[in-house]
Amino acid sequence: MELQGRRVIVTGAAGGIGSAIAAACARQGALVAAVDRIEAAIGPEDGLPAEAITPFIADLTEPQACSELIAEVGESLGEIDGLVNCAGVMRRGDLLEVDDDDWAVTFGVNVDAVMRLCRAALPSLIAAESGAIVNIASQWGLQPARGHIAYNSSKAAVASLTRSLAVDFGAQGVRANSICPGEILTPMLQQKLDDNGIAESELASTIPLGRLGRPSEVAELTTFLLSDRASFISGAAIEIAGAQQVG
Ligand code: NAD
Protein backbone atom coordinates (compact mmCIF):
# COMPACT_ATOMS: atom_id res chain seq x y z
CA MET A 1 0.00 0.00 0.00
CA GLU A 2 2.67 2.47 -1.06
CA LEU A 3 0.14 5.22 -1.86
CA GLN A 4 -1.86 4.92 1.37
CA GLY A 5 -3.42 8.26 2.30
CA ARG A 6 -2.47 9.88 -1.01
CA ARG A 7 -4.92 11.73 -3.28
CA VAL A 8 -4.21 11.32 -6.96
CA ILE A 9 -5.80 12.64 -10.15
CA VAL A 10 -5.57 10.34 -13.18
CA THR A 11 -6.73 11.70 -16.54
CA GLY A 12 -7.67 9.48 -19.46
CA ALA A 13 -9.07 7.11 -16.84
CA ALA A 14 -11.60 5.58 -19.24
CA GLY A 15 -8.79 4.53 -21.59
CA GLY A 16 -6.62 1.45 -21.71
CA ILE A 17 -3.58 2.75 -19.81
CA GLY A 18 -5.41 5.36 -17.69
CA SER A 19 -7.91 2.85 -16.30
CA ALA A 20 -5.07 0.50 -15.35
CA ILE A 21 -3.24 3.38 -13.64
CA ALA A 22 -6.34 4.52 -11.74
CA ALA A 23 -7.01 0.97 -10.54
CA ALA A 24 -3.37 0.42 -9.56
CA CYS A 25 -3.27 3.68 -7.57
CA ALA A 26 -6.46 2.67 -5.74
CA ARG A 27 -5.05 -0.80 -5.06
CA GLN A 28 -2.01 0.89 -3.48
CA GLY A 29 -4.30 2.80 -1.09
CA ALA A 30 -4.77 6.15 -2.86
CA LEU A 31 -8.02 8.04 -3.22
CA VAL A 32 -8.29 8.49 -6.98
CA ALA A 33 -10.07 11.13 -9.05
CA ALA A 34 -10.65 9.29 -12.34
CA VAL A 35 -11.01 11.95 -15.03
CA ASP A 36 -12.10 11.51 -18.63
CA ARG A 37 -14.48 13.07 -21.13
CA ILE A 38 -16.48 9.83 -20.84
CA GLU A 39 -17.27 7.92 -17.64
CA ALA A 40 -14.47 5.66 -16.44
CA ALA A 41 -15.91 2.21 -15.68
CA ILE A 42 -13.66 1.16 -12.82
CA GLY A 43 -14.62 0.54 -9.21
CA PRO A 44 -16.07 -2.16 -6.96
CA GLU A 45 -16.48 -4.62 -9.85
CA ASP A 46 -12.68 -4.56 -10.14
CA GLY A 47 -12.38 -5.52 -6.47
CA LEU A 48 -11.66 -1.95 -5.39
CA PRO A 49 -13.33 -0.26 -2.40
CA ALA A 50 -16.29 1.91 -3.55
CA GLU A 51 -14.78 5.08 -2.04
CA ALA A 52 -11.38 4.56 -3.71
CA ILE A 53 -12.34 5.89 -7.14
CA THR A 54 -14.41 9.00 -7.83
CA PRO A 55 -15.22 9.66 -11.49
CA PHE A 56 -15.07 13.18 -12.91
CA ILE A 57 -16.22 14.01 -16.44
CA ALA A 58 -14.32 16.83 -18.16
CA ASP A 59 -13.28 17.81 -21.66
CA LEU A 60 -9.75 18.89 -20.84
CA THR A 61 -9.45 20.97 -24.00
CA GLU A 62 -11.94 23.51 -22.63
CA PRO A 63 -9.87 26.42 -21.29
CA GLN A 64 -11.48 26.58 -17.81
CA ALA A 65 -11.86 22.82 -17.37
CA CYS A 66 -8.44 22.17 -15.84
CA SER A 67 -8.52 24.77 -13.05
CA GLU A 68 -12.17 23.93 -12.32
CA LEU A 69 -11.30 20.25 -12.10
CA ILE A 70 -8.47 20.77 -9.62
CA ALA A 71 -10.78 22.92 -7.44
CA GLU A 72 -13.62 20.40 -7.67
CA VAL A 73 -11.38 17.45 -6.78
CA GLY A 74 -9.88 19.43 -3.88
CA GLU A 75 -13.35 20.08 -2.45
CA SER A 76 -14.46 16.50 -2.94
CA LEU A 77 -11.37 14.45 -1.96
CA GLY A 78 -9.06 16.99 -0.29
CA GLU A 79 -5.92 18.61 -1.70
CA ILE A 80 -4.13 16.31 -4.14
CA ASP A 81 -0.50 15.20 -3.85
CA GLY A 82 -0.29 13.25 -7.11
CA LEU A 83 -1.18 14.07 -10.72
CA VAL A 84 -1.04 11.61 -13.61
CA ASN A 85 -1.69 13.09 -17.06
CA CYS A 86 -2.62 10.15 -19.26
CA ALA A 87 -5.40 11.51 -21.53
CA GLY A 88 -4.13 11.63 -25.08
CA VAL A 89 -5.10 11.53 -28.74
CA MET A 90 -3.27 10.47 -31.88
CA ARG A 91 -3.79 12.04 -35.30
CA ARG A 92 -1.73 10.46 -38.07
CA GLY A 93 0.10 12.00 -41.01
CA ASP A 94 3.27 13.73 -42.13
CA LEU A 95 3.41 17.52 -42.43
CA LEU A 96 1.77 17.51 -45.88
CA GLU A 97 -1.08 15.34 -44.57
CA VAL A 98 -1.99 16.87 -41.20
CA ASP A 99 -4.08 20.04 -41.21
CA ASP A 100 -4.36 22.81 -38.63
CA ASP A 101 -7.23 21.00 -36.91
CA ASP A 102 -5.16 17.80 -36.48
CA TRP A 103 -2.35 19.87 -34.97
CA ALA A 104 -4.65 21.90 -32.69
CA VAL A 105 -6.54 18.87 -31.37
CA THR A 106 -3.32 16.93 -30.76
CA PHE A 107 -1.61 19.78 -28.92
CA GLY A 108 -4.87 20.76 -27.16
CA VAL A 109 -5.19 17.38 -25.42
CA ASN A 110 -1.59 16.15 -25.31
CA VAL A 111 0.19 19.38 -24.34
CA ASP A 112 -2.06 22.34 -23.44
CA ALA A 113 -4.27 20.34 -21.07
CA VAL A 114 -1.20 18.80 -19.42
CA MET A 115 0.34 22.25 -18.95
CA ARG A 116 -2.91 23.70 -17.53
CA LEU A 117 -3.50 20.79 -15.16
CA CYS A 118 0.08 20.93 -13.89
CA ARG A 119 -0.22 24.70 -13.38
CA ALA A 120 -3.52 24.39 -11.52
CA ALA A 121 -2.25 21.48 -9.39
CA LEU A 122 1.13 22.97 -8.42
CA PRO A 123 -0.05 24.91 -5.34
CA SER A 124 -1.50 21.68 -3.86
CA LEU A 125 1.56 19.63 -4.88
CA ILE A 126 3.90 22.19 -3.29
CA ALA A 127 1.81 22.31 -0.11
CA ALA A 128 1.95 18.50 0.09
CA GLU A 129 5.78 18.73 0.38
CA SER A 130 6.14 15.44 -1.49
CA GLY A 131 3.96 16.09 -4.51
CA ALA A 132 4.57 14.05 -7.65
CA ILE A 133 3.61 14.47 -11.31
CA VAL A 134 3.73 11.63 -13.82
CA ASN A 135 3.02 12.60 -17.43
CA ILE A 136 2.44 9.85 -19.97
CA ALA A 137 4.46 10.91 -23.01
CA SER A 138 5.59 8.36 -25.62
CA GLN A 139 8.72 6.69 -26.94
CA TRP A 140 7.81 8.49 -30.17
CA GLY A 141 8.45 11.80 -28.41
CA LEU A 142 12.09 10.68 -28.03
CA GLN A 143 12.50 8.87 -31.37
CA PRO A 144 9.91 10.05 -33.91
CA ALA A 145 7.89 7.43 -35.75
CA ARG A 146 7.31 8.01 -39.44
CA GLY A 147 4.02 9.65 -40.44
CA HIS A 148 2.97 10.92 -36.99
CA ILE A 149 4.45 14.43 -36.86
CA ALA A 150 1.78 16.05 -34.66
CA TYR A 151 1.75 13.20 -32.13
CA ASN A 152 5.56 12.86 -32.03
CA SER A 153 6.00 16.61 -31.55
CA SER A 154 3.34 16.80 -28.85
CA LYS A 155 4.93 13.99 -26.86
CA ALA A 156 8.40 15.56 -27.18
CA ALA A 157 6.83 18.70 -25.72
CA VAL A 158 5.38 16.69 -22.82
CA ALA A 159 8.79 15.22 -21.96
CA SER A 160 10.40 18.67 -22.09
CA LEU A 161 7.60 20.34 -20.12
CA THR A 162 7.97 17.64 -17.47
CA ARG A 163 11.74 18.14 -17.16
CA SER A 164 11.18 21.92 -16.89
CA LEU A 165 8.72 21.38 -14.03
CA ALA A 166 11.21 19.13 -12.27
CA VAL A 167 13.92 21.78 -12.55
CA ASP A 168 11.71 24.71 -11.56
CA PHE A 169 9.85 23.13 -8.64
CA GLY A 170 12.28 20.55 -7.27
CA ALA A 171 13.36 22.97 -4.53
CA GLN A 172 9.73 23.04 -3.39
CA GLY A 173 9.60 19.28 -3.07
CA VAL A 174 7.76 18.50 -6.30
CA ARG A 175 9.02 15.60 -8.43
CA ALA A 176 8.01 15.36 -12.09
CA ASN A 177 8.73 12.50 -14.49
CA SER A 178 7.44 11.36 -17.83
CA ILE A 179 6.85 7.80 -18.94
CA CYS A 180 7.53 7.03 -22.60
CA PRO A 181 5.70 3.84 -23.56
CA GLY A 182 6.32 1.89 -26.73
CA GLU A 183 3.58 -0.37 -28.11
CA ILE A 184 1.05 -1.03 -25.34
CA LEU A 185 -2.06 -3.01 -26.27
CA THR A 186 -4.99 -0.62 -25.69
CA PRO A 187 -7.95 0.64 -27.77
CA MET A 188 -5.67 3.39 -29.16
CA LEU A 189 -3.15 0.84 -30.44
CA GLN A 190 -5.84 -1.60 -31.60
CA GLN A 191 -7.30 1.20 -33.73
CA LYS A 192 -3.88 1.78 -35.29
CA LEU A 193 -3.50 -1.95 -36.06
CA ASP A 194 -7.01 -2.11 -37.56
CA ASP A 195 -6.50 1.03 -39.67
CA ASN A 196 -3.28 -0.33 -41.13
CA GLY A 197 -4.35 -3.98 -41.44
CA ILE A 198 -1.49 -5.11 -39.19
CA ALA A 199 -1.75 -8.26 -37.05
CA GLU A 200 -0.74 -8.03 -33.39
CA SER A 201 1.82 -10.81 -33.94
CA GLU A 202 3.44 -8.84 -36.78
CA LEU A 203 3.98 -5.82 -34.53
CA ALA A 204 5.12 -8.05 -31.65
CA SER A 205 7.84 -9.51 -33.88
CA THR A 206 9.48 -6.05 -34.10
CA ILE A 207 9.88 -5.92 -30.30
CA PRO A 208 12.93 -7.68 -28.82
CA LEU A 209 10.87 -8.95 -25.86
CA GLY A 210 8.55 -10.56 -28.44
CA ARG A 211 5.23 -9.12 -27.33
CA LEU A 212 3.29 -5.90 -26.88
CA GLY A 213 3.31 -4.16 -23.52
CA ARG A 214 0.41 -4.36 -21.08
CA PRO A 215 -1.36 -1.37 -19.52
CA SER A 216 -0.70 -2.93 -16.09
CA GLU A 217 3.05 -2.66 -16.74
CA VAL A 218 2.78 1.10 -17.36
CA ALA A 219 0.58 1.35 -14.25
CA GLU A 220 3.22 -0.44 -12.16
CA LEU A 221 5.86 2.11 -13.20
CA THR A 222 3.45 4.98 -12.54
CA THR A 223 2.62 3.96 -8.95
CA PHE A 224 6.35 3.49 -8.30
CA LEU A 225 7.13 7.01 -9.59
CA LEU A 226 4.31 8.51 -7.50
CA SER A 227 5.52 6.77 -4.36
CA ASP A 228 8.30 7.67 -1.93
CA ARG A 229 10.25 4.70 -3.27
CA ALA A 230 11.12 6.99 -6.21
CA SER A 231 12.09 9.86 -3.89
CA PHE A 232 15.26 10.84 -5.84
CA ILE A 233 13.86 10.28 -9.33
CA SER A 234 12.80 13.54 -10.95
CA GLY A 235 13.18 15.08 -14.41
CA ALA A 236 13.43 11.62 -16.00
CA ALA A 237 11.82 10.45 -19.25
CA ILE A 238 11.58 6.70 -18.77
CA GLU A 239 11.09 4.37 -21.75
CA ILE A 240 8.96 1.28 -21.27
CA ALA A 241 9.14 -0.35 -24.67
CA GLY A 242 10.58 -3.87 -24.47
CA ALA A 243 13.83 -2.63 -26.07
CA GLN A 244 12.05 -1.75 -29.32
CA GLN A 245 13.81 0.81 -31.50
CA VAL A 246 11.62 3.18 -33.49
CA GLY A 247 12.62 3.16 -37.14
P1 NAD B 1 -6.93 5.39 -25.06
O1 NAD B 1 -7.46 5.99 -26.31
O2 NAD B 1 -7.39 4.04 -24.64
O3 NAD B 1 -7.18 6.40 -23.84
C1 NAD B 1 -7.06 7.79 -23.97
C2 NAD B 1 -8.13 8.42 -23.09
O4 NAD B 1 -8.00 9.85 -23.14
C3 NAD B 1 -9.55 8.08 -23.56
O5 NAD B 1 -10.30 7.47 -22.51
C4 NAD B 1 -10.12 9.41 -23.97
O6 NAD B 1 -11.52 9.54 -23.72
C5 NAD B 1 -9.30 10.39 -23.12
N1 NAD B 1 -9.34 11.73 -23.69
C6 NAD B 1 -9.03 12.08 -24.96
N2 NAD B 1 -9.29 13.38 -25.15
C7 NAD B 1 -9.76 13.87 -23.98
C8 NAD B 1 -10.21 15.15 -23.55
N3 NAD B 1 -10.27 16.19 -24.40
N4 NAD B 1 -10.62 15.30 -22.27
C9 NAD B 1 -10.62 14.24 -21.43
N5 NAD B 1 -10.21 13.01 -21.78
C10 NAD B 1 -9.79 12.82 -23.04
O7 NAD B 1 -5.35 5.45 -25.21
P2 NAD B 1 -4.19 4.71 -24.40
O8 NAD B 1 -3.52 3.80 -25.35
O9 NAD B 1 -4.68 4.20 -23.09
O10 NAD B 1 -3.20 5.95 -24.18
C11 NAD B 1 -3.07 6.61 -22.93
C12 NAD B 1 -1.88 7.55 -23.02
O11 NAD B 1 -0.70 6.79 -23.29
C13 NAD B 1 -2.00 8.58 -24.14
O12 NAD B 1 -1.48 9.81 -23.70
C14 NAD B 1 -1.14 7.99 -25.23
O13 NAD B 1 -0.63 8.96 -26.10
C15 NAD B 1 -0.05 7.33 -24.41
N6 NAD B 1 0.67 6.25 -25.13
C16 NAD B 1 0.01 5.12 -25.52
C17 NAD B 1 0.73 4.12 -26.17
C18 NAD B 1 0.09 2.82 -26.62
O14 NAD B 1 0.77 2.01 -27.26
N7 NAD B 1 -1.16 2.56 -26.29
C19 NAD B 1 2.09 4.29 -26.46
C20 NAD B 1 2.71 5.47 -26.05
C21 NAD B 1 1.98 6.44 -25.38
Side-chain angles (χ1 to χ4, degrees), residues 12 14-17 36-38 58-61 86-89 109 136-138 151 155 181-184 186-188:
I17 294 174
D36 206 293
R37 62 182 168 188
I38 53 174
D59 179 350
L60 299 171
T61 57
C86 185
V89 292
V109 180
I136 307 301
S138 169
Y151 183 80
K155 292 301 187 176
E183 309 288 5
I184 311 295
T186 67
M188 183 187 272

Side-chain angles (χ1 to χ4, degrees), residues 33-81:
V35 182
D36 206 293
R37 62 182 168 188
I38 53 174
E39 184 140 5
I42 28 176
E45 62 282 7
D46 300 297
L48 299 166
E51 68 282 5
I53 302 217
T54 309
F56 291 84
I57 307 281
D59 179 350
L60 299 171
T61 57
E62 286 177 14
Q64 298 308 316
C66 297
S67 52
E68 285 172 7
L69 176 74
I70 298 293
E72 211 184 318
V73 172
E75 277 168 28
S76 167
L77 303 185
E79 294 299 314
I80 60 153
D81 48 24

